[in-house]
Amino acid sequence: MSRLYLRKDEVRASYQVSSWQSVLFSEFEAQMSSDARPFPCIFGVAGYRHDQLRYLFLDPLDVDTLGKQLALFVSECRSHGPNTSLVLFTRPRPVQTLDAYYKKFWRLLDHLARIDGKPWPEEIPQAVDDPMWEFSFAGEPIFVVCSTPAHVMRQSRRSSAFMLTFQPRWVFEKILGTDQAAAKSFGEVRKRLVPFDTTTPSPLLGRYGNPEGREYKQYFLYDENQPPPACPFHKLAQTKPPSIEDKEQAA
């Protein structure tokens, strides 16, 4: 299987300046490299600066292709560095509502889970409403972040197109592995969030495994600090869903 995701220099060499891929990546680079307005996710910034992130551009958003690339990334990710993630960019389209993007996001994860070629990790509960649940693929627990063009107040979750970041859970083990390390890291993230967003930090953000917390609620944050809709993740359903693009056109 050929590798489609790229390093920084490969992105610059692969796409013309006027292409949508180049425009979105330039926006991403400006966000990650700003010293005047530091991006809140200190792990993502470190990964970008040390060239440990990998970038995938898909048009159309074909879930089977994404699944193959995500599985390949999982098999290689520990060699990329301690702050690696796979960043998925999709082609800009007319802006939809946050509710529409929320449903699209969970349809995508649901579809990925259905085509996963490896068993769900034994140590990860399959019930979403469990503090130890985490989305998993190819045997790897993964924290997923969704950014959209519909985010206005929560600029830390804004992008010019539907965008996902897949962060392997093991990335957090060292930086959040102890109470002291977690407190320090979360403190720095929140310190950056306050001036970055025009809304207060979400109360849904928290440490993995907190009995009162739920990982899935952190994947997609609304602009307002409101409880998210019911999680539409039903990977145990037997029927194959329509493609993400087909569902988007019908919306």
Side-chain angles (χ1 to χ4, degrees), residues 214-235:
R214 297 293 183 270
E215 286 292 284
Y216 81 89
K217 293 182 179 181
Q218 302 182 52
Y219 291 0
F220 190 111
L221 298 177
Y222 276 69
D223 266 354
E224 303 284 353
N225 286 327
Q226 64 189 57
C231 174
F233 185 82
H234 304 291
K235 86 179 193 69

Side-chain angles (χ1 to χ4, degrees), residues 29-213:
E29 286 199 296
Q31 194 176 56
M32 290 293 110
S33 61
S34 176
D35 291 323
R37 192 167 178 256
F39 190 71
C41 181
I42 56 177
F43 324 122
V45 170
Y48 167 77
R49 291 184 172 174
H50 293 94
D51 200 21
Q52 295 170 3
L53 305 183
R54 296 297 181 264
Y55 310 98
L56 177 63
F57 301 84
L58 290 183
D59 179 34
L61 176 50
D62 179 73
V63 184
D64 290 332
T65 300
L66 173 58
K68 291 175 182 177
Q69 293 301 307
L70 183 55
L72 182 58
F73 171 77
V74 165
S75 71
E76 300 178 342
C77 64
R78 283 175 171 76
S79 67
H80 298 330
N83 288 293
T84 191
S85 294
L86 178 65
V87 184
L88 168 67
F89 296 91
T90 67
R91 189 184 188 97
R93 299 182 184 276
V95 179
Q96 298 180 306
T97 64
L98 282 172
D99 283 339
Y101 286 121
Y102 181 83
K103 293 175 183 177
K104 177 176 179 177
F105 167 70
W106 282 106
R107 281 197 301 265
L108 178 62
L109 292 194
D110 185 53
H111 198 153
L112 281 172
R114 296 171 192 243
I115 64 173
D116 192 357
K118 290 191 175 181
W120 193 263
E122 291 185 4
E123 71 275 16
I124 303 297
Q126 295 201 27
V128 177
D129 191 29
D130 186 297
M132 299 305 295
W133 182 88
E134 188 83 276
F135 176 73
S136 301
F137 191 82
E140 189 75 64
I142 302 171
F143 185 83
V144 191
V145 174
C146 184
S147 303
T148 82
H151 282 90
V152 177
M153 298 170 63
R154 202 174 298 282
Q155 287 287 298
S156 55
R157 293 295 180 105
R158 189 199 174 280
S159 60
S160 290
F162 183 73
M163 184 180 90
L164 301 184
T165 302
F166 296 89
Q167 296 177 287
R169 167 52 51 189
W170 61 261
V171 167
F172 299 99
E173 291 174 357
K174 181 177 181 180
I175 52 183
L176 301 178
T178 66
D179 290 342
Q180 184 178 6
K184 182 179 179 180
S185 297
F186 280 127
E188 180 62 27
V189 169
R190 289 180 180 276
K191 179 181 175 182
R192 293 185 178 199
L193 275 174
V194 171
F196 201 90
D197 292 342
T198 57
T199 186
T200 55
S202 173
L204 299 175
L205 295 174
R207 188 177 177 185
Y208 174 66
N210 183 332
E212 303 302 318

